């Protein structure tokens, strides 16, 4: 028989401390995982938002260019109509086949 005896209350206290430390570490790892996941998703959302803003700015610039081109097209069509109105007075010149 051994002469040294362990106290039941002391060994229970050590076991409780070990379990408490284990639970604390598990909860710490879980909270860290959730925190890192949230951080990464937030970072991805910020990048996506920045890209959306960039594409929106490019789209607005292209729409402005399209509007300018439409105005130029309208002005050129008006000039073409004026020229056609002036040309209708002239009869077309028909060249006979013998002169070709």
């Amino acid at each position: 028989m051994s002469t040294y005896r362990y106290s039941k209350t002391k060994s229970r206290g050590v076991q409780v401390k070990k379990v408490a430390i284990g639970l604390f570490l598990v909860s710490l790892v879980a909270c860290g995982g959730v925190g890192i996941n949230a951080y990464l998703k937030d970072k991805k959302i910020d990048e996506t938002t920045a890209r959306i803003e960039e594409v929106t700015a490019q789209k607005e610039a292209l729409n402005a260019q399209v509007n300018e081109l439409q105005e130029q097209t309208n002005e050129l069509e008006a000039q073409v109509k004026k020229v056609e109105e002036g040309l209708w007075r002239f009869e077309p010149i028909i060249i006979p086949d013998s002169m070709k």
Side-chain angles (χ1 to χ4, degrees), residues 78-97:
Q79 290 177 359
V80 166
K81 284 182 183 179
K82 286 180 183 178
V83 170
E84 286 178 351
E85 288 174 0
L87 290 177
W88 73 271
R89 291 182 279 161
F90 299 104
E91 292 182 19
I93 299 173
I94 300 173
I95 300 173
D97 290 337

Side-chain angles (χ1 to χ4, degrees), residues 67-83:
N67 290 337
E68 290 176 10
L69 291 175
Q70 284 179 347
E71 290 174 3
Q72 289 177 358
T73 304
N74 291 339
E75 291 173 4
L76 293 174
E77 286 177 354
Q79 290 177 359
V80 166
K81 284 182 183 179
K82 286 180 183 178
V83 170

Side-chain angles (χ1 to χ4, degrees), residues 41-76:
K41 284 186 180 181
D42 188 44
K43 185 177 176 183
K44 192 171 186 179
I45 289 171
D46 289 341
E47 290 174 357
T48 305
T49 304
R51 287 181 187 165
I52 289 173
E53 290 173 356
E54 181 181 335
V55 168
T56 304
Q58 291 176 353
K59 181 180 174 184
E60 290 174 359
L62 290 175
N63 283 337
Q65 289 179 354
V66 167
N67 290 337
E68 290 176 10
L69 291 175
Q70 284 179 347
E71 290 174 3
Q72 289 177 358
T73 304
N74 291 339
E75 291 173 4
L76 293 174

Side-chain angles (χ1 to χ4, degrees), residues 6 9 19 23 27 34 37-38 50 66 68 74 76 81 86 100:
Y6 290 102
T9 56
V19 170
L23 289 175
S27 65
V34 169
N37 190 16
V66 167
E68 290 176 10
N74 291 339
L76 293 174
K81 284 182 183 179
K100 288 185 183 177

